[in-house]
Amino acid sequence: MQFLEISKRYEQNVVFDHFSLDIPVQSILSVVGPSGEGKTTLLQMAAGLLEPDGGSIRKETSEEGSVSYLFQESRLLGSSTVYANVELALRRSHSSETERRQIALHYLAMVGLSGSLALYPSQLSGGMRQRVAIARAFAHPANLMLLDEPFQSLDIKLKFSLVDAFLKLWEEQPRTTLFVTHDPKEALMLGDAVCCLGDPKKPLWYQQIDIPRNARNITDAKMLAWEATLVRTLVNA
Amino acid sequence: MQRVKRNLVLLISSLLLLLIWQVGSMMLDSQILLPGIPPVAQALRTLIAQPPFAHNILSTALRAFQSFLIIVISATVVGVLAGRFEYLSIALRPFVTTLKAIPVMSIILLAFIWFSSGTVPLFSAFLMGFPVMYVQIEMGVRQLDRNLEQMCTLYEFRPSDKLLHFIIPSMTSWFIAGSRTALSMVWKVVIAAEVLTVPRYGVGARMQLAQVQLQTDLVLSWTLIAIMLTALGDLLFDALVHLAAYLKRKIDARGVPCSS
Protein backbone atom coordinates (compact mmCIF):
# COMPACT_ATOMS: atom_id res chain seq x y z
CA MET A 1 0.00 0.00 0.00
CA GLN A 2 1.28 3.45 -0.85
CA PHE A 3 0.29 6.88 0.36
CA LEU A 4 1.21 9.10 -2.56
CA GLU A 5 1.64 12.83 -1.94
CA ILE A 6 -1.36 12.91 0.38
CA SER A 7 -2.52 16.15 2.00
CA LYS A 8 -4.97 16.50 4.86
CA ARG A 9 -5.87 19.45 7.05
CA TYR A 10 -8.41 20.10 9.79
CA GLU A 11 -9.24 23.81 9.45
CA GLN A 12 -5.90 25.54 10.14
CA ASN A 13 -4.15 22.39 11.33
CA VAL A 14 -2.14 20.84 8.49
CA VAL A 15 -1.68 17.16 9.33
CA PHE A 16 -0.25 15.94 6.02
CA ASP A 17 1.24 18.01 3.24
CA HIS A 18 2.29 16.00 0.17
CA PHE A 19 3.23 13.15 2.48
CA SER A 20 4.31 9.80 1.01
CA LEU A 21 4.72 6.42 2.67
CA ASP A 22 5.24 2.92 1.34
CA ILE A 23 4.10 -0.25 3.14
CA PRO A 24 5.28 -3.49 1.47
CA VAL A 25 2.66 -6.21 0.97
CA GLN A 26 2.22 -8.58 3.92
CA SER A 27 4.44 -6.55 6.22
CA ILE A 28 3.79 -4.65 9.44
CA LEU A 29 4.57 -0.94 9.53
CA SER A 30 4.60 0.47 13.04
CA VAL A 31 3.57 4.12 13.17
CA VAL A 32 4.49 6.19 16.21
CA GLY A 33 4.24 9.88 16.83
CA PRO A 34 3.06 12.54 19.24
CA SER A 35 -0.70 12.99 19.73
CA GLY A 36 -2.44 15.00 17.02
CA GLU A 37 0.17 14.28 14.36
CA GLY A 38 -2.12 12.20 12.15
CA LYS A 39 -1.66 8.58 13.23
CA THR A 40 -5.40 7.83 13.41
CA THR A 41 -6.01 10.01 10.32
CA LEU A 42 -3.58 7.80 8.42
CA LEU A 43 -5.48 4.67 9.48
CA GLN A 44 -8.85 6.18 8.65
CA MET A 45 -7.65 7.17 5.20
CA ALA A 46 -6.32 3.64 4.67
CA ALA A 47 -9.71 2.24 5.75
CA GLY A 48 -11.56 4.58 3.42
CA LEU A 49 -13.35 6.27 6.33
CA LEU A 50 -11.65 9.55 5.48
CA GLU A 51 -10.72 11.02 2.12
CA PRO A 52 -7.41 12.86 1.73
CA ASP A 53 -7.72 16.49 0.56
CA GLY A 54 -5.08 15.77 -2.05
CA GLY A 55 -2.91 12.90 -3.28
CA SER A 56 -3.94 9.27 -3.46
CA ILE A 57 -3.71 5.92 -1.73
CA ARG A 58 -2.71 3.04 -3.93
CA LYS A 59 -3.38 -0.50 -2.85
CA GLU A 60 -2.11 -3.72 -4.43
CA THR A 61 -4.78 -6.01 -5.86
CA SER A 62 -4.27 -8.35 -2.91
CA GLU A 63 -4.98 -5.48 -0.50
CA GLU A 64 -8.20 -4.35 -2.14
CA GLY A 65 -11.60 -4.94 -0.59
CA SER A 66 -12.51 -5.06 3.05
CA VAL A 67 -10.25 -4.14 5.95
CA SER A 68 -9.91 -5.44 9.47
CA TYR A 69 -9.68 -2.69 12.06
CA LEU A 70 -8.55 -3.19 15.64
CA PHE A 71 -9.59 -0.23 17.73
CA GLN A 72 -8.27 1.15 21.02
CA GLU A 73 -11.41 -0.26 22.65
CA SER A 74 -12.71 -3.70 21.80
CA ARG A 75 -15.97 -2.42 20.23
CA LEU A 76 -17.91 -5.62 20.82
CA LEU A 77 -21.67 -5.93 20.62
CA GLY A 78 -22.78 -6.00 24.25
CA SER A 79 -25.84 -8.17 23.74
CA SER A 80 -24.12 -10.77 21.56
CA THR A 81 -22.05 -13.67 22.80
CA VAL A 82 -18.30 -13.97 22.26
CA TYR A 83 -18.97 -16.45 19.45
CA ALA A 84 -21.59 -14.28 17.77
CA ASN A 85 -19.29 -11.23 17.89
CA VAL A 86 -16.80 -13.09 15.68
CA GLU A 87 -19.28 -15.01 13.56
CA LEU A 88 -21.27 -11.90 12.60
CA ALA A 89 -18.20 -10.42 10.89
CA LEU A 90 -18.17 -13.46 8.56
CA ARG A 91 -21.78 -13.53 7.45
CA ARG A 92 -21.41 -11.40 4.36
CA SER A 93 -18.36 -13.25 3.06
CA HIS A 94 -19.29 -16.83 4.00
CA SER A 95 -22.78 -18.05 3.24
CA SER A 96 -22.15 -21.51 4.69
CA GLU A 97 -22.89 -21.68 8.41
CA THR A 98 -20.53 -24.64 8.86
CA GLU A 99 -17.71 -22.68 7.30
CA ARG A 100 -18.42 -19.65 9.50
CA ARG A 101 -18.48 -21.84 12.58
CA GLN A 102 -15.14 -23.45 11.70
CA ILE A 103 -13.45 -20.11 11.09
CA ALA A 104 -14.85 -18.43 14.20
CA LEU A 105 -13.96 -21.41 16.42
CA HIS A 106 -10.46 -21.59 14.96
CA TYR A 107 -9.63 -17.95 15.69
CA LEU A 108 -11.29 -17.98 19.11
CA ALA A 109 -9.25 -21.06 19.98
CA MET A 110 -6.08 -19.29 18.80
CA VAL A 111 -6.68 -16.46 21.28
CA GLY A 112 -7.53 -18.92 24.05
CA LEU A 113 -11.24 -18.27 24.30
CA SER A 114 -12.67 -21.68 23.42
CA GLY A 115 -14.14 -21.97 26.87
CA SER A 116 -15.86 -18.58 26.81
CA LEU A 117 -17.94 -18.82 23.63
CA ALA A 118 -21.30 -18.34 25.34
CA LEU A 119 -20.23 -15.43 27.53
CA TYR A 120 -21.28 -11.83 26.91
CA PRO A 121 -18.73 -8.96 26.78
CA SER A 122 -19.88 -7.70 30.19
CA GLN A 123 -18.79 -11.04 31.64
CA LEU A 124 -15.25 -10.71 30.26
CA SER A 125 -12.16 -8.91 31.52
CA GLY A 126 -10.68 -6.05 29.43
CA GLY A 127 -7.97 -8.38 28.11
CA MET A 128 -10.47 -11.07 27.12
CA ARG A 129 -12.60 -8.50 25.29
CA GLN A 130 -9.57 -7.37 23.32
CA ARG A 131 -8.82 -11.03 22.48
CA VAL A 132 -12.30 -11.36 21.00
CA ALA A 133 -11.62 -8.23 18.95
CA ILE A 134 -8.33 -9.72 17.72
CA ALA A 135 -10.08 -12.98 16.77
CA ARG A 136 -12.77 -10.99 14.93
CA ALA A 137 -10.15 -8.93 13.07
CA PHE A 138 -8.34 -12.06 11.87
CA ALA A 139 -11.50 -14.04 11.12
CA HIS A 140 -12.77 -11.21 8.92
CA PRO A 141 -11.54 -11.92 5.39
CA ALA A 142 -9.46 -8.81 4.78
CA ASN A 143 -6.01 -8.42 3.33
CA LEU A 144 -5.38 -5.10 5.01
CA MET A 145 -5.21 -4.82 8.76
CA LEU A 146 -5.31 -1.56 10.67
CA LEU A 147 -4.44 -1.39 14.35
CA ASP A 148 -5.16 1.76 16.34
CA GLU A 149 -3.32 1.36 19.64
CA PRO A 150 -5.14 -1.88 20.50
CA PHE A 151 -2.79 -2.76 23.37
CA GLN A 152 -2.97 0.64 25.02
CA SER A 153 -4.01 0.88 28.69
CA LEU A 154 -3.35 -2.80 29.39
CA ASP A 155 -0.96 -4.01 32.06
CA ILE A 156 2.42 -5.26 30.84
CA LYS A 157 1.64 -8.97 31.32
CA LEU A 158 -1.64 -8.74 29.47
CA LYS A 159 -0.04 -6.63 26.75
CA PHE A 160 2.63 -9.28 26.10
CA SER A 161 0.08 -12.07 26.02
CA LEU A 162 -2.11 -10.14 23.56
CA VAL A 163 0.87 -9.22 21.37
CA ASP A 164 1.78 -12.93 21.39
CA ALA A 165 -1.76 -13.89 20.40
CA PHE A 166 -1.71 -11.27 17.66
CA LEU A 167 1.66 -12.40 16.25
CA LYS A 168 0.64 -16.06 16.33
CA LEU A 169 -2.38 -15.23 14.18
CA TRP A 170 -0.45 -12.88 11.94
CA GLU A 171 2.31 -15.41 11.22
CA GLU A 172 -0.39 -17.92 10.29
CA GLN A 173 -1.86 -15.55 7.73
CA PRO A 174 0.32 -12.46 7.08
CA ARG A 175 -1.51 -9.34 5.90
CA THR A 176 -0.39 -5.82 5.13
CA THR A 177 -0.66 -4.14 8.51
CA LEU A 178 -0.53 -0.58 9.72
CA PHE A 179 0.07 -0.59 13.46
CA VAL A 180 -0.34 2.69 15.34
CA THR A 181 1.14 2.86 18.82
CA HIS A 182 2.54 5.25 21.40
CA ASP A 183 4.93 2.68 22.76
CA PRO A 184 8.41 2.64 21.08
CA LYS A 185 9.18 -0.88 22.40
CA GLU A 186 5.92 -2.25 21.00
CA ALA A 187 6.61 -0.56 17.66
CA LEU A 188 10.09 -2.08 17.41
CA MET A 189 9.05 -5.57 18.50
CA LEU A 190 6.14 -5.85 16.08
CA GLY A 191 7.02 -3.83 12.99
CA ASP A 192 8.97 -4.84 9.90
CA ALA A 193 9.60 -1.12 9.73
CA VAL A 194 8.95 1.79 12.09
CA CYS A 195 7.84 5.23 11.01
CA CYS A 196 7.69 8.26 13.27
CA LEU A 197 5.21 11.01 12.34
CA GLY A 198 5.56 14.62 13.39
CA ASP A 199 6.33 16.48 10.18
CA PRO A 200 3.41 16.92 7.73
CA LYS A 201 5.75 16.57 4.73
CA LYS A 202 7.75 13.41 5.57
CA PRO A 203 8.34 10.85 8.30
CA LEU A 204 10.61 12.20 11.02
CA TRP A 205 12.28 8.81 11.23
CA TYR A 206 11.90 5.65 9.20
CA GLN A 207 13.75 2.48 10.08
CA GLN A 208 13.64 -0.97 8.53
CA ILE A 209 13.91 -3.60 11.30
CA ASP A 210 16.11 -6.25 9.75
CA ILE A 211 16.06 -8.68 12.68
CA PRO A 212 13.56 -11.57 12.31
CA ARG A 213 10.57 -11.00 14.59
CA ASN A 214 11.05 -14.16 16.63
CA ALA A 215 14.75 -13.34 17.21
CA ARG A 216 14.12 -9.84 18.49
CA ASN A 217 15.07 -8.96 22.03
CA ILE A 218 14.48 -5.49 23.34
CA THR A 219 17.74 -5.67 25.35
CA ASP A 220 19.85 -6.24 22.23
CA ALA A 221 22.26 -3.39 21.55
CA LYS A 222 20.79 -2.71 18.10
CA MET A 223 17.23 -2.65 19.37
CA LEU A 224 18.23 -0.42 22.30
CA ALA A 225 19.94 1.98 19.93
CA TRP A 226 16.86 2.16 17.71
CA GLU A 227 14.66 2.67 20.74
CA ALA A 228 16.89 5.49 21.96
CA THR A 229 16.77 7.18 18.54
CA LEU A 230 13.01 6.78 18.36
CA VAL A 231 12.49 8.21 21.85
CA ARG A 232 14.78 11.12 21.04
CA THR A 233 12.88 11.79 17.82
CA LEU A 234 9.57 11.68 19.66
CA VAL A 235 10.77 14.02 22.40
CA ASN A 236 12.09 16.52 19.87
CA ALA A 237 9.04 16.29 17.59
CA MET B 1 -31.54 -12.32 51.87
CA GLN B 2 -31.44 -8.89 50.24
CA ARG B 3 -34.70 -9.70 48.45
CA VAL B 4 -36.42 -10.77 51.70
CA LYS B 5 -35.31 -7.53 53.36
CA ARG B 6 -36.58 -5.47 50.43
CA ASN B 7 -39.95 -7.22 50.48
CA LEU B 8 -40.17 -6.75 54.24
CA VAL B 9 -39.60 -3.00 53.90
CA LEU B 10 -42.24 -2.90 51.15
CA LEU B 11 -44.74 -4.76 53.34
CA ILE B 12 -44.09 -2.52 56.36
CA SER B 13 -44.52 0.68 54.29
CA SER B 14 -47.78 -0.68 52.79
CA LEU B 15 -49.10 -1.52 56.26
CA LEU B 16 -48.09 1.97 57.41
CA LEU B 17 -50.13 3.48 54.57
CA LEU B 18 -53.20 1.45 55.58
CA LEU B 19 -52.65 2.47 59.20
CA ILE B 20 -52.55 6.18 58.26
CA TRP B 21 -55.78 5.71 56.30
CA GLN B 22 -57.54 3.96 59.21
CA VAL B 23 -56.30 6.49 61.79
CA GLY B 24 -57.36 9.38 59.50
CA SER B 25 -60.79 7.84 59.10
CA MET B 26 -61.18 7.40 62.87
CA MET B 27 -60.09 10.99 63.53
CA LEU B 28 -62.47 12.46 60.91
CA ASP B 29 -65.23 10.10 62.01
CA SER B 30 -67.27 10.60 58.82
CA GLN B 31 -68.23 7.89 56.32
CA ILE B 32 -68.64 10.54 53.62
CA LEU B 33 -65.30 12.29 54.10
CA LEU B 34 -63.13 9.24 54.65
CA PRO B 35 -64.61 5.78 55.34
CA GLY B 36 -62.38 3.29 57.19
CA ILE B 37 -60.85 0.11 55.80
CA PRO B 38 -63.68 -2.33 56.84
CA PRO B 39 -66.56 -0.49 55.01
CA VAL B 40 -64.40 -0.02 51.90
CA ALA B 41 -63.45 -3.72 51.98
CA GLN B 42 -67.14 -4.58 52.31
CA ALA B 43 -68.04 -2.28 49.37
CA LEU B 44 -65.25 -3.87 47.33
CA ARG B 45 -66.61 -7.38 48.04
CA THR B 46 -70.12 -6.28 46.98
CA LEU B 47 -68.74 -4.65 43.81
CA ILE B 48 -66.82 -7.75 42.78
CA ALA B 49 -69.89 -9.94 43.32
CA GLN B 50 -72.06 -7.79 41.00
CA PRO B 51 -72.25 -8.92 37.32
CA PRO B 52 -71.22 -5.65 35.56
CA PHE B 53 -67.94 -5.59 37.52
CA ALA B 54 -65.98 -7.64 34.98
CA HIS B 55 -67.51 -5.67 32.13
CA ASN B 56 -66.40 -2.37 33.70
CA ILE B 57 -62.89 -3.67 34.32
CA LEU B 58 -62.55 -5.20 30.84
CA SER B 59 -63.83 -2.03 29.13
CA THR B 60 -61.24 0.12 30.92
CA ALA B 61 -58.47 -2.45 30.40
CA LEU B 62 -59.32 -2.73 26.70
CA ARG B 63 -59.25 1.05 26.24
CA ALA B 64 -55.90 1.25 28.07
CA PHE B 65 -54.46 -1.62 26.04
CA GLN B 66 -55.65 -0.16 22.73
CA SER B 67 -54.22 3.27 23.56
CA PHE B 68 -50.95 1.72 24.73
CA LEU B 69 -50.61 -0.32 21.54
CA ILE B 70 -51.30 2.70 19.32
CA ILE B 71 -48.78 4.79 21.32
CA VAL B 72 -46.06 2.12 21.17
CA ILE B 73 -46.39 1.54 17.42
CA SER B 74 -46.80 5.17 16.32
CA ALA B 75 -44.21 6.65 18.72
CA THR B 76 -41.66 4.00 17.75
CA VAL B 77 -42.09 4.64 14.03
CA VAL B 78 -42.12 8.45 14.32
CA GLY B 79 -39.36 8.44 16.98
CA VAL B 80 -37.02 6.33 14.82
CA LEU B 81 -37.64 8.59 11.81
CA ALA B 82 -37.13 11.75 13.89
CA GLY B 83 -33.94 10.29 15.38
CA ARG B 84 -32.62 9.63 11.89
CA PHE B 85 -33.79 12.81 10.15
CA GLU B 86 -33.00 15.99 12.05
CA TYR B 87 -35.41 18.19 10.07
CA LEU B 88 -38.34 15.92 10.93
CA SER B 89 -37.37 16.16 14.59
CA ILE B 90 -37.28 19.97 14.35
CA ALA B 91 -40.64 20.01 12.51
CA LEU B 92 -42.23 17.85 15.20
CA ARG B 93 -40.84 19.86 18.11
CA PRO B 94 -43.75 22.36 18.40
CA PHE B 95 -46.29 19.50 18.40
CA VAL B 96 -44.43 17.53 21.02
CA THR B 97 -43.83 20.59 23.23
CA THR B 98 -47.52 21.53 23.01
CA LEU B 99 -48.62 17.99 23.85
CA LYS B 100 -46.22 17.85 26.80
CA ALA B 101 -47.39 21.21 28.18
CA ILE B 102 -51.17 20.96 27.61
CA PRO B 103 -53.19 20.03 30.75
CA VAL B 104 -54.74 16.57 30.58
CA MET B 105 -58.20 17.99 31.42
CA SER B 106 -58.06 20.36 28.41
CA ILE B 107 -57.39 17.42 26.11
CA ILE B 108 -60.21 15.37 27.61
CA LEU B 109 -62.71 18.25 27.44
CA LEU B 110 -61.80 19.10 23.85
CA ALA B 111 -61.92 15.45 22.85
CA PHE B 112 -65.36 15.19 24.45
CA ILE B 113 -66.55 17.98 22.15
CA TRP B 114 -65.11 16.27 19.09
CA PHE B 115 -65.72 12.54 19.72
CA SER B 116 -68.14 10.06 21.27
CA SER B 117 -67.63 9.15 24.95
CA GLY B 118 -66.06 5.76 24.09
CA THR B 119 -63.36 7.31 21.87
CA VAL B 120 -62.38 10.13 24.26
CA PRO B 121 -60.30 7.96 26.68
CA LEU B 122 -58.44 6.42 23.74
CA PHE B 123 -57.73 9.74 22.07
CA SER B 124 -56.73 11.52 25.30
CA ALA B 125 -54.45 8.68 26.42
CA PHE B 126 -52.80 8.64 23.01
CA LEU B 127 -52.11 12.38 23.07
CA MET B 128 -50.71 12.23 26.60
CA GLY B 129 -48.65 9.05 26.18
CA PHE B 130 -47.30 9.62 22.67
CA PRO B 131 -44.77 12.40 23.51
CA VAL B 132 -43.34 10.42 26.44
CA MET B 133 -42.61 7.39 24.31
CA TYR B 134 -41.59 9.43 21.24
CA VAL B 135 -38.97 11.40 23.18
CA GLN B 136 -37.40 8.19 24.54
CA ILE B 137 -37.24 6.52 21.13
CA GLU B 138 -35.83 9.60 19.42
CA MET B 139 -33.21 9.91 22.16
CA GLY B 140 -32.37 6.21 21.79
CA VAL B 141 -31.70 6.60 18.08
CA ARG B 142 -29.58 9.71 18.68
CA GLN B 143 -27.58 7.95 21.39
CA LEU B 144 -26.69 4.95 19.22
CA ASP B 145 -23.00 4.25 19.69
CA ARG B 146 -21.28 5.74 16.61
CA ASN B 147 -18.15 3.68 17.30
CA LEU B 148 -20.13 0.45 17.13
CA GLU B 149 -21.87 1.70 14.02
CA GLN B 150 -18.45 2.30 12.44
CA MET B 151 -17.38 -1.19 13.50
CA CYS B 152 -20.48 -2.68 11.82
CA THR B 153 -19.58 -0.83 8.60
CA LEU B 154 -15.93 -1.86 8.64
CA TYR B 155 -16.74 -5.50 9.36
CA GLU B 156 -19.42 -5.41 6.64
CA PHE B 157 -22.39 -6.45 8.77
CA ARG B 158 -25.48 -7.28 6.73
CA PRO B 159 -28.28 -4.70 7.31
CA SER B 160 -30.48 -7.35 8.97
CA ASP B 161 -27.63 -8.36 11.33
CA LYS B 162 -26.92 -4.73 12.15
CA LEU B 163 -30.58 -4.21 13.00
CA LEU B 164 -30.92 -7.39 15.07
CA HIS B 165 -27.59 -7.38 16.87
CA PHE B 166 -26.76 -3.67 17.20
CA ILE B 167 -29.72 -1.32 16.71
CA ILE B 168 -32.52 -3.23 18.46
CA PRO B 169 -30.42 -4.21 21.53
CA SER B 170 -29.14 -0.61 21.82
CA MET B 171 -32.71 0.72 21.66
CA THR B 172 -34.21 -1.77 24.09
CA SER B 173 -33.56 0.16 27.32
CA TRP B 174 -35.02 3.34 25.79
CA PHE B 175 -38.02 1.41 24.48
CA ILE B 176 -38.68 -0.20 27.86
CA ALA B 177 -38.33 3.12 29.76
CA GLY B 178 -40.66 4.89 27.32
CA SER B 179 -43.32 2.20 27.23
CA ARG B 180 -43.29 1.70 31.01
CA THR B 181 -43.90 5.44 31.59
CA ALA B 182 -46.52 5.57 28.82
CA LEU B 183 -48.32 2.55 30.28
CA SER B 184 -48.63 4.12 33.76
CA MET B 185 -49.84 7.35 32.17
CA VAL B 186 -52.38 5.56 29.96
CA TRP B 187 -54.24 4.04 32.95
CA LYS B 188 -54.50 7.42 34.67
CA VAL B 189 -55.68 9.29 31.58
CA VAL B 190 -58.16 6.59 30.48
CA ILE B 191 -59.81 6.54 33.92
CA ALA B 192 -59.82 10.36 34.15
CA ALA B 193 -61.44 10.56 30.72
CA GLU B 194 -64.04 7.98 31.77
CA VAL B 195 -64.82 10.07 34.86
CA LEU B 196 -65.56 13.10 32.70
CA THR B 197 -67.31 11.40 29.78
CA VAL B 198 -69.12 8.61 31.72
CA PRO B 199 -69.25 5.88 29.06
CA ARG B 200 -71.67 3.00 29.67
CA TYR B 201 -68.97 0.74 31.12
CA GLY B 202 -65.65 1.71 32.70
CA VAL B 203 -63.93 2.10 36.08
CA GLY B 204 -63.94 5.91 35.77
CA ALA B 205 -67.64 6.02 34.92
CA ARG B 206 -68.49 3.93 38.03
CA MET B 207 -66.28 6.19 40.11
CA GLN B 208 -68.15 9.26 38.86
CA LEU B 209 -71.55 7.73 39.59
CA ALA B 210 -70.46 6.78 43.12
CA GLN B 211 -69.15 10.30 43.71
CA VAL B 212 -72.44 11.88 42.57
CA GLN B 213 -74.28 9.67 45.06
CA LEU B 214 -71.73 10.56 47.80
CA GLN B 215 -70.76 6.87 48.17
CA THR B 216 -67.18 7.53 49.22
CA ASP B 217 -66.62 3.86 50.12
CA LEU B 218 -67.45 2.97 46.50
CA VAL B 219 -65.22 5.75 45.13
CA LEU B 220 -62.37 4.40 47.25
CA SER B 221 -63.15 0.82 46.16
CA TRP B 222 -62.93 1.79 42.49
CA THR B 223 -59.76 3.75 43.27
CA LEU B 224 -58.24 0.61 44.80
CA ILE B 225 -59.26 -1.33 41.71
CA ALA B 226 -57.63 1.32 39.49
CA ILE B 227 -54.42 1.05 41.55
CA MET B 228 -54.48 -2.72 41.23
CA LEU B 229 -55.07 -2.52 37.49
CA THR B 230 -52.06 -0.20 37.10
CA ALA B 231 -49.91 -2.46 39.28
CA LEU B 232 -51.06 -5.52 37.36
CA GLY B 233 -50.25 -3.80 34.07
CA ASP B 234 -46.75 -2.95 35.35
CA LEU B 235 -46.24 -6.52 36.60
CA LEU B 236 -47.37 -7.96 33.30
CA PHE B 237 -45.07 -5.58 31.43
CA ASP B 238 -42.09 -6.52 33.63
CA ALA B 239 -42.90 -10.21 33.17
CA LEU B 240 -42.92 -9.74 29.40
CA VAL B 241 -39.57 -7.93 29.52
CA HIS B 242 -38.05 -10.74 31.62
CA LEU B 243 -39.52 -13.37 29.33
CA ALA B 244 -38.07 -11.62 26.27
CA ALA B 245 -34.63 -11.39 27.94
CA TYR B 246 -34.84 -15.08 28.95
CA LEU B 247 -35.81 -16.15 25.43
CA LYS B 248 -32.99 -14.10 23.92
CA ARG B 249 -30.45 -15.77 26.20
CA LYS B 250 -31.87 -19.17 25.23
CA ILE B 251 -31.64 -18.36 21.52
CA ASP B 252 -28.09 -17.00 21.98
CA ALA B 253 -27.04 -20.16 23.81
CA ARG B 254 -28.50 -22.31 21.04
CA GLY B 255 -26.45 -20.37 18.49
CA VAL B 256 -23.16 -21.10 20.27
CA PRO B 257 -21.54 -24.31 19.01
CA CYS B 258 -19.61 -26.75 21.13
CA SER B 259 -15.94 -25.77 20.85
CA SER B 260 -14.58 -29.34 20.80
Side-chain angles (χ1 to χ4, degrees):
Chain A
M1 181 170 62
Q2 289 174 303
F3 292 88
L4 298 167
E5 300 274 313
I6 53 155
S7 298
K8 185 74 192 172
R9 62 161 65 210
Y10 297 103
E11 294 177 0
Q12 298 306 309
N13 181 22
V14 178
V15 183
F16 294 112
D17 183 14
H18 295 89
F19 180 93
S20 294
L21 189 64
D22 195 356
I23 307 145
V25 173
Q26 295 189 345
S27 71
I28 302 177
L29 174 71
S30 297
V31 179
V32 286
S35 297
E37 295 292 347
K39 300 190 295 294
T40 302
T41 302
L42 201 68
L43 287 188
Q44 290 186 331
M45 286 194 291
L49 295 171
L50 213 60
E51 282 295 317
D53 300 333
S56 63
I57 298 161
R58 190 191 296 161
K59 289 178 187 169
E60 297 294 324
T61 320
S62 62
E63 294 164 344
E64 289 289 349
S66 55
V67 295
S68 278
Y69 206 121
L70 254 176
F71 307 93
Q72 287 175 17
E73 347 70 75
S74 53
R75 296 201 192 179
L76 301 180
L77 297 167
S79 60
S80 297
T81 58
V82 163
Y83 173 76
N85 263 289
V86 177
E87 192 259 351
L88 280 167
L90 295 162
R91 287 199 182 174
R92 197 185 283 271
S93 52
H94 298 81
S95 55
S96 154
E97 198 184 330
T98 318
E99 212 177 333
R100 287 201 304 266
R101 189 187 308 138
Q102 276 172 356
I103 296 170
L105 289 178
H106 169 72
Y107 285 104
L108 282 164
M110 292 283 280
V111 294
L113 285 173
S114 294
S116 312
L117 302 181
L119 296 182
Y120 292 92
S122 59
Q123 296 171 299
L124 305 176
S125 66
M128 285 167 94
R129 280 200 284 267
Q130 205 59 340
R131 277 172 200 271
V132 181
I134 291 175
R136 179 180 61 191
F138 277 97
H140 186 58
N143 293 316
L144 185 61
M145 189 162 255
L146 306 166
L147 282 70
D148 193 358
E149 302 179 52
F151 312 121
Q152 192 203 27
S153 67
L154 296 170
D155 65 66
I156 190 84
K157 193 178 166 194
L158 197 57
K159 188 183 279 192
F160 270 93
S161 105
L162 283 179
V163 168
D164 261 1
F166 172 82
L167 284 176
K168 204 161 68 175
L169 289 170
W170 195 89
E171 300 291 352
E172 191 189 69
Q173 196 187 356
R175 304 163 184 199
T176 308
T177 302
L178 207 52
F179 170 51
V180 161
T181 178
H182 267 121
D183 183 345
K185 278 191 180 69
E186 218 172 75
L188 290 165
M189 292 299 283
L190 252 77
D192 291 301
V194 177
C195 159
C196 181
L197 299 181
D199 181 346
K201 290 182 186 294
K202 59 181 194 321
L204 284 179
W205 187 68
Y206 186 93
Q207 179 63 54
Q208 202 73 39
I209 312 295
D210 51 11
I211 306 170
R213 227 183 310 274
N214 52 11
R216 287 179 203 176
N217 188 332
I218 201 65
T219 53
D220 279 357
K222 204 171 179 184
M223 291 288 275
L224 281 173
W226 279 331
E227 189 189 349
T229 314
L230 182 53
V231 170
R232 212 170 27 248
T233 313
L234 278 167
V235 170
N236 296 331
Chain B
M1 199 63 195
Q2 194 78 18
R3 199 174 165 177
V4 174
K5 271 186 191 168
R6 224 181 283 168
N7 288 340
L8 199 67
V9 172
L10 206 66
L11 182 74
I12 291 169
S13 73
S14 305
L15 288 174
L16 189 70
L17 195 68
L18 290 173
L19 187 72
I20 292 168
W21 174 6
Q22 186 58 31
V23 170
S25 160
M26 283 158 74
M27 283 169 69
L28 287 168
D29 194 23
S30 160
Q31 287 305 300
I32 290 179
L33 282 179
L34 186 61
I37 297 172
V40 173
Q42 178 57 39
L44 194 62
R45 266 200 300 274
T46 319
L47 265 184
I48 294 169
Q50 283 169 356
F53 175 77
H55 212 133
N56 284 315
I57 298 281
L58 283 176
S59 299
T60 301
L62 192 67
R63 285 185 193 113
F65 180 68
Q66 282 174 328
S67 322
F68 178 65
L69 214 61
I70 296 169
I71 290 168
V72 167
I73 294 168
S74 58
T76 303
V77 172
V78 181
V80 166
L81 290 173
R84 278 285 172 205
F85 306 106
E86 202 190 347
Y87 284 109
L88 180 65
S89 167
I90 294 167
L92 286 171
R93 214 168 284 165
F95 294 98
V96 176
T97 310
T98 309
L99 285 178
K100 279 201 284 190
I102 197 165
V104 61
M105 283 303 158
S106 306
I107 288 184
I108 297 171
L109 290 171
L110 285 170
F112 199 24
I113 297 169
W114 299 330
F115 306 112
S116 67
S117 62
T119 318
V120 176
L122 238 85
F123 180 74
S124 314
F126 169 73
L127 286 191
M128 295 309 292
F130 177 84
V132 174
M133 179 93 192
Y134 162 82
V135 167
Q136 288 288 329
I137 298 291
E138 189 200 9
M139 191 77 86
V141 175
R142 286 195 189 284
Q143 301 282 320
L144 279 177
D145 189 333
R146 300 297 161 211
N147 285 338
L148 278 183
E149 202 161 6
Q150 193 183 58
M151 183 279 292
C152 292
T153 309
L154 284 166
Y155 283 101
E156 299 173 304
F157 276 34
R158 295 185 307 201
S160 57
D161 290 331
K162 189 177 165 185
L163 180 73
L164 273 174
H165 296 272
F166 164 54
I167 298 175
I168 293 179
S170 306
M171 293 290 300
T172 305
S173 59
W174 298 93
F175 180 83
I176 291 172
S179 26
R180 183 174 281 142
T181 318
L183 183 64
S184 308
M185 192 174 270
V186 156
W187 285 111
K188 285 189 187 126
V189 179
V190 163
I191 292 171
E194 285 176 347
V195 167
L196 280 182
T197 58
V198 198
R200 192 161 171 212
Y201 294 107
V203 171
R206 297 301 106 188
M207 231 182 246
Q208 162 70 358
L209 290 176
Q211 191 266 338
V212 169
Q213 290 159 6
L214 290 179
Q215 291 175 299
T216 317
D217 52 346
L218 273 182
V219 176
L220 283 171
S221 301
W222 282 115
T223 307
L224 283 177
I225 288 163
I227 292 169
M228 279 189 261
L229 277 176
T230 310
L232 199 70
D234 285 355
L235 276 175
L236 207 65
F237 183 80
D238 287 345
L240 276 174
V241 169
H242 280 114
L243 180 70
Y246 172 78
L247 287 176
K248 189 197 172 292
R249 278 197 302 274
K250 282 270 169 206
I251 294 167
D252 282 352
R254 203 173 289 175
V256 175
C258 182
S259 57
S260 55

